[in-house]
Amino acid sequence: MSGDGTKESPWELTTAPGTSAYTMYRDEAGDPPALVCQVGSTTLTYHLSAIEDLHAMLRERGDWVDLGAADEKKDAKDGTVEAWGRAQDNPVGGWYGLRKGYRGRFGMYVPPLLEELGLIELEHHPRNNRARAL
């Protein structure tokens, strides 16, 4: 495993298709506690609870779930990880993304972290990847 998930030693990850590298780390002192995702010069933040919450959702579904990554301004395909990360009935009651204008791409950046942590199995095709709980 690369890094230990701190700001000083972030996890080094790649998107499911393997086309983009990025880092993530826990900011437990944030309000609310956050996962900080650095993609080039862009910083995205997600609720830290996304790790356990997404894993629980995938365990409940019990099968492969499409990632469906989409920018905040685009609609997410129903039934995908991205749609769940925005849904009013998820554990945070809406967006897991914390920074308006940068709340999307949950399905792109969070699942590779769960794979790195050994919580899920993730496909690595050029397009249309899926995840399932281990």
Side-chain angles (χ1 to χ4, degrees), residues 29-74:
D31 184 24
L35 273 175
V36 179
C37 178
Q38 190 68 45
V39 185
S41 63
T42 302
T43 302
L44 300 107
T45 53
Y46 301 101
H47 283 275
L48 182 58
S49 64
I51 295 170
E52 289 103 23
D53 294 349
L54 178 55
H55 184 235
M57 182 277 285
L58 291 169
R59 264 195 338 261
E60 285 175 22
R61 294 223 186 150
D63 201 0
W64 290 102
V65 176
D66 290 338
L67 300 183
D71 289 329
E72 179 177 348
K73 294 178 183 172
K74 294 184 179 178

Side-chain angles (χ1 to χ4, degrees), residues 8-30:
E8 296 75 27
S9 180
W11 292 296
E12 295 179 18
L13 304 162
T14 57
T15 57
T19 54
S20 296
Y22 62 100
T23 61
M24 285 186 114
Y25 64 90
R26 289 185 215 92
D27 179 6
E28 295 179 32

Side-chain angles (χ1 to χ4, degrees), residues 80-91:
T80 63
V81 169
E82 185 74 33
W84 176 85
R86 306 171 178 207
Q88 293 299 312
D89 63 350
N90 69 29

